[in-house]
Amino acid sequence: MWDSSMFLSTLTPKFYVALTGTSSLISGLILIFEWWYFRKYGTSFIEQVSINHISPWINGGDTSSETNGNASGTSSSSGSSNGGSPPGGQQMPECKVWRNPLNLFRGAEYQRFFWATSKEPLTYYDMNLSAQDHQTFFTCEGDVRKEEYEIMQTAWRERNPVQRIKSAHNALEINPDCAPAYILLAEEEATTIVEAERILRSALKVAEQNYRKSQATQHQGPIAEGMHRRDTNVLIYIRRRLAMCARKLGKLKEAAKMFRDLTKEIPSIMNVLNIHENLIETLLEMQAYADCQAVLAKYDDISLPKSATICYTAALLKARAVADKFSPDIASKRGLSPAEMCAVEAIHRAVEFNPHVPKYLLETKPLILPPEHILKRGDSEALAYAFFHLKHWKNIEGALNLLHCTWEGTFRMLPYPLERGHLFYPYPTCTECADRELLPAFHEVSVYPKKELPFFILFTAGLCSFTALLALLTHQYPEPMGFLAQTVLTWISYPFQLLKERVEAFWPCNLLQHLSRV
């Protein structure tokens, strides 16, 4: 029989050094891979493989069928928005990217940031989404064989901004009434808001002419109807951008009137632009709080999609009534008044919808230029909201102080935000990945809830450190560590040695020979 004590006595200290060193190297490589996978995908690779592959194999087909059922339930609810009060038993809707209602001008704002910092403020993913939007709303089937519109179709997809601008000029040389070409020049060639407004006013005249022409022929077939829809989208987009230019140039009354007029329109593009958020921001700048409350009463409805602008503006207006006299010390002694309780509940509601906003409003996290598209309830939406609304919170005395004292109380009501919400759907799990695609690489994406390090990363880190320490001690003190290793292995092998002796005592040694004879 094999004698373990003889085998252990033949092992030299070099063997233990090699063993512990190899173990430390392997566990270190596993640790590095796990850390990289966690930083990129937000989960442990070993844990994911265990759940998705090993667990279904052990448990049979029940887990896989249940997973498929959950997946189908989630996908079927993707048409709903990320807002509203969740009825019992409904699945959480999946993430949807929206166009930023207050997106900046590329030439007059984003490009100037690049010139000053040499950092790209927009990602290719974000710009590609904008190109898809422009192709959807500014082109139609009637543009076939029209050279200027075919040029614009490819211009929106062009990555090089110089080539895009050149294509727009070529389209205008072919047809001076090509309104989409004016839009591209106002967005990208104009280096100031005044210049962009001038180009957009020229585009407005052309767009109105094209709209009147297509309106007269819209009933002559589906192609004519598509051309009229395209001209309507172009006209509304230009009017919206002109209103935004007026807002940026300080012509607030003019901007508010233009936004009010646009909110009365009903074409399909209005569902994408969310112009009521532009109107809310303009009214806050005018400090027309009563008018702003009237707009909120229209759009802050349980059946309509929510946004950070709606939720946080509602909280701001309620905080305005009590913020100047609010004191956390006095409130802790006498309790909250009904008005203060209403304001605090509104803040908790807003924080539950988008928990990333308070850090930007309280300036504990740096702001960057907002992207052209946002993810509701995500970091991108928080950036877009705080970029334009931080000054409105500062204009109301005590509002930021009230927010600072109360916003973290929201999380006590949401112990498991990914599983169950309080006033809204559970917080979506896909926001981090989508925000990393929308936001530039130099920005540190805010993650909620804060992810703890997976068990396997901590385990491999401990294993790597322990084996590295053993390798170092064995190299420095070979004889004591060799004796210690032999002692530990002897202790570990003792139960097995005892079990082997008991088995040999119970069964005869020639049992196999007797069985072979039978």
Side-chain angles (χ1 to χ4, degrees):
M1 296 297 293
W2 178 71
D3 190 358
S4 60
S5 59
M6 183 180 297
F7 172 76
L8 293 175
S9 63
T10 60
L11 299 179
T12 63
K14 291 183 178 180
F15 169 80
Y16 296 110
V17 172
L19 178 64
T20 52
T22 305
S23 302
S24 177
L25 175 63
I26 295 174
S27 57
L29 293 176
I30 295 174
L31 173 63
I32 293 172
F33 175 77
E34 276 282 292
W35 178 256
W36 169 83
Y37 194 89
F38 175 74
R39 292 286 294 177
K40 186 171 183 180
Y41 299 105
T43 185
S44 167
F45 174 77
I46 300 175
E47 183 179 355
Q48 191 175 23
V49 170
S50 302
I51 294 174
N52 295 339
H53 300 284
I54 299 177
S55 180
W57 176 71
I58 295 175
N59 298 331
D62 297 338
T63 305
S64 60
S65 61
E66 182 181 352
T67 304
N68 293 335
N70 292 338
S72 62
T74 304
S75 61
S76 65
S77 63
S78 61
S80 56
S81 61
N82 282 327
S85 181
Q90 286 192 359
Q91 294 288 339
M92 180 185 67
E94 67 180 26
C95 298
K96 177 182 177 182
V97 175
W98 297 73
R99 189 165 182 85
N100 183 3
L102 290 90
N103 64 308
L104 304 177
F105 287 84
R106 287 190 186 178
E109 292 167 307
Y110 288 119
Q111 188 66 26
R112 291 171 64 185
F113 174 83
F114 175 75
W115 290 339
T117 63
S118 298
K119 295 179 179 179
E120 288 288 353
L122 297 174
T123 63
Y124 279 121
Y125 175 71
D126 191 17
M127 291 190 288
N128 186 53
L129 291 176
S130 297
Q132 293 177 14
D133 293 339
H134 294 150
Q135 280 191 316
T136 300
F137 292 112
F138 302 154
T139 60
C140 65
E141 295 181 3
D143 297 337
V144 179
R145 296 188 180 89
K146 292 182 179 179
E147 186 177 357
E148 67 275 16
Y149 286 101
E150 290 181 349
I151 290 175
M152 291 307 302
Q153 278 188 343
T154 58
W156 296 121
R157 307 287 296 190
E158 178 63 48
R159 282 194 170 188
N160 187 350
V162 177
Q163 187 60 42
R164 287 197 297 268
I165 295 172
K166 183 179 178 181
S167 298
H169 282 294
N170 292 339
L172 286 176
E173 290 178 2
I174 298 172
N175 181 9
D177 293 337
C178 182
Y182 284 104
I183 292 176
L184 192 147
L185 294 178
E187 293 283 350
E188 304 204 26
E189 187 178 41
T191 56
T192 63
I193 299 299
V194 174
E195 186 179 354
E197 185 183 38
R198 178 183 59 78
I199 297 175
L200 286 171
R201 292 195 181 280
S202 302
L204 181 63
K205 296 178 181 178
V206 172
E208 288 176 340
Q209 293 175 4
N210 294 339
Y211 175 79
R212 286 192 291 268
K213 291 178 183 178
S214 61
Q215 187 179 30
T217 61
Q218 62 176 313
H219 301 297
Q220 296 181 1
I223 294 181
E225 184 179 354
M227 292 178 65
H228 178 65
R229 190 184 307 112
R230 185 271 314 276
D231 292 337
T232 303
N233 293 338
V234 170
L235 179 60
I236 290 177
Y237 186 89
I238 292 173
R239 289 170 59 191
R240 168 180 168 268
R241 289 308 249 176
L242 275 171
M244 294 178 71
C245 288
R247 162 66 186 90
K248 293 174 186 293
L249 295 174
K251 296 180 282 188
L252 300 179
K253 291 184 178 180
E254 179 183 345
K257 182 181 183 302
M258 296 172 72
F259 285 132
R260 285 188 190 277
D261 293 339
L262 283 171
T263 55
K264 300 173 184 177
E265 302 286 347
I266 56 172
S268 58
I269 193 175
M270 300 298 295
N271 297 327
V272 177
L273 298 180
N274 290 324
I275 294 178
H276 60 276
E277 297 193 11
N278 298 85
L279 177 59
I280 288 173
E281 196 278 330
T282 303
L283 293 174
L284 287 174
E285 180 66 16
M286 297 171 64
Q287 298 187 5
Y289 298 117
D291 294 339
C292 187
Q293 184 64 58
V295 175
L296 274 181
K298 181 179 178 181
Y299 290 97
D300 194 4
D301 186 84
I302 192 171
S303 61
L304 296 177
K306 297 293 181 291
S307 66
T309 298
I310 290 176
C311 294
Y312 277 90
T313 302
L316 176 63
L317 295 180
K318 291 181 180 179
R320 174 174 169 265
V322 298
D324 57 337
K325 300 178 182 178
F326 177 79
S327 172
D329 296 332
I330 297 176
S332 62
K333 294 178 181 178
R334 63 167 172 80
L336 295 175
S337 66
E340 291 173 338
M341 181 65 71
C342 185
V344 171
E345 288 177 354
I347 289 175
H348 287 176
R349 171 179 178 259
V351 173
E352 180 185 351
F353 183 83
N354 194 318
H356 307 282
V357 172
K359 290 184 178 180
Y360 294 110
L361 292 180
L362 298 173
E363 298 182 272
T364 59
K365 190 172 173 61
L367 280 171
I368 63 170
L369 295 185
E372 293 183 337
H373 289 79
I374 60 174
L375 184 69
K376 288 193 175 183
R377 308 188 72 178
D379 190 35
S380 51
E381 184 192 34
L383 270 170
Y385 173 79
F387 184 85
F388 293 100
H389 288 261
L390 174 58
K391 56 185 174 183
H392 305 321
W393 282 79
K394 289 183 176 180
N395 287 339
I396 296 178
E397 183 182 356
L400 289 175
N401 177 53
L402 179 61
L403 178 69
H404 172 72
C405 295
T406 59
W407 76 278
E408 291 182 334
T410 309
F411 306 127
R412 288 194 291 270
M413 300 184 297
L414 300 168
Y416 304 105
L418 300 179
E419 301 174 9
R420 184 178 180 83
H422 181 59
L423 297 174
F424 298 98
Y425 288 102
Y427 191 78
T429 58
C430 58
T431 57
E432 181 184 358
C433 295
D435 279 332
R436 291 189 189 280
E437 294 286 344
L438 289 170
L439 297 172
F442 60 83
H443 173 72
E444 182 182 355
V445 175
S446 177
V447 179
Y448 174 80
K450 197 67 177 178
K451 294 182 178 178
E452 299 179 355
L453 287 178
F455 165 77
F456 288 104
I457 289 184
L458 300 175
F459 175 76
T460 52
L463 182 63
C464 178
S465 303
F466 178 70
T467 52
L469 179 63
L470 285 180
L472 179 62
L473 292 175
T474 305
H475 179 72
Q476 293 293 329
Y477 310 101
E479 294 183 1
M481 290 300 295
F483 175 76
L484 177 63
Q486 290 181 4
T487 304
V488 171
L489 290 176
T490 302
W491 287 347
I492 294 174
S493 63
Y494 178 75
F496 299 99
Q497 185 71 22
L498 184 62
L499 178 63
K500 181 174 74 71
E501 293 176 356
R502 292 292 179 86
V503 170
E504 290 178 349
F506 182 76
W507 297 100
C509 297
N510 56 352
L511 176 63
L512 294 178
Q513 296 179 2
H514 289 299
L515 291 176
S516 62
R517 292 175 182 175
V518 174

